[in-house]
């Protein structure tokens, strides 16, 4: 059974050379990103089209096993004022249900403006609307995961 922990506790408990998966949980899709084993760089992995929890979780668990993941970083969609709304409740419920399927620590990472930042960057690069829709979720997951990786690195420096 997974445990939901703070990022500082994750930093203290993570074994060396295990990857992390970043998760951008949307209502229609789940964007995924994967770290390298040194936990320095987050790379977009894939986008899961949401069907129902069991099927969605099956794919995520398969990737966790394939890449020998040590923890999950789940984007937490807080409101701009930092309060929790229905999407935060849905994210916490997803984490709780997923926790019954994976025996890995799960930590939350504030994802406010991650999709907006990624979309803005893609627009600046003149990426077409269709192509943006195809990649934005996994890029948002990479943005979320990179923030967590940077924080983990700072915590490791003391």
């Amino acid at each position: 059974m997974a445990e939901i922990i703070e990022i500082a506790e994750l930093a203290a408990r993570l074994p060396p050379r295990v990857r992390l998966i970043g998760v951008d949980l949307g209502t229609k899709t789940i964007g995924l990103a994967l770290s390298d084993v040194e936990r320095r760089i987050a790379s977009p992995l894939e986008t899961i089209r949401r069907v129902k929890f069991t099927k969605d979780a099956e794919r995520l668990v398969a990737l966790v096993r394939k890449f020998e993941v040590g923890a999950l970083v789940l984007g937490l969609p807080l409101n701009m004022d930092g309060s929790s709304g229905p999407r935060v409740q849905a994210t916490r419920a997803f984490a709780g249900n997923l926790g019954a399927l994976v025996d890995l620590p799960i930590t939350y990472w504030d994802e406010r403006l991650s999709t907006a930042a990624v979309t803005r960057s893609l627009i600046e690069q003149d990426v077409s609307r269709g192509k943006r829709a195809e990649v934005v979720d996994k890029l948002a997951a990479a943005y979320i995961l990179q923030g967590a990786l940077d924080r983990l690195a700072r915590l490791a420096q003391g």
Side-chain angles (χ1 to χ4, degrees):
M1 178 127 197
E3 192 178 358
I4 311 279
I5 60 174
E6 296 295 320
I7 191 103
E9 188 177 345
L10 180 65
R13 290 177 35 184
L14 266 179
R17 302 191 60 77
V18 296
R19 297 172 186 266
L20 304 181
I21 281 187
V23 181
D24 179 37
L25 188 66
T27 54
K28 295 178 183 170
T29 60
I30 301 171
L32 300 175
L34 185 68
S35 78
D36 61 321
V37 294
E38 298 294 327
R39 295 192 294 268
R40 293 188 182 141
I41 298 174
S43 301
L45 182 59
E46 74 175 62
T47 300
I48 299 171
R49 294 262 168 240
R50 297 210 51 190
V51 182
K52 62 179 186 172
F53 175 79
T54 306
K55 194 144 177 62
D56 302 343
E58 241 173 48
R59 179 64 185 149
L60 183 52
V61 170
L63 292 168
V64 162
R65 289 189 181 122
K66 176 180 179 181
F67 293 108
E68 300 175 358
V69 169
L72 298 169
V73 177
L74 194 54
L76 195 63
L78 297 167
N79 293 325
M80 289 308 293
D81 65 1
S83 65
S84 298
R87 288 198 55 231
V88 168
Q89 290 174 337
T91 299
R92 290 187 192 279
F94 182 89
N97 292 334
L98 185 63
L101 304 175
V102 294
D103 190 20
L104 295 173
I106 298 173
T107 193
Y108 295 118
W109 189 256
D110 183 352
E111 72 162 43
R112 282 180 281 188
L113 300 178
S114 60
T115 300
V118 167
T119 301
R120 187 171 44 252
S121 173
L122 290 169
I123 289 170
E124 287 170 4
Q125 296 172 50
D126 203 27
V127 175
S128 71
R129 184 182 305 262
K131 184 68 174 165
R132 283 196 313 263
E134 202 175 291
V135 299
V136 71
D137 298 308
K138 62 185 174 184
L139 288 174
Y143 186 92
I144 291 163
L145 181 55
Q146 191 63 56
L149 293 174
D150 293 347
R151 178 70 177 135
L152 287 168
R154 286 192 300 275
L155 288 166
Q157 293 171 351

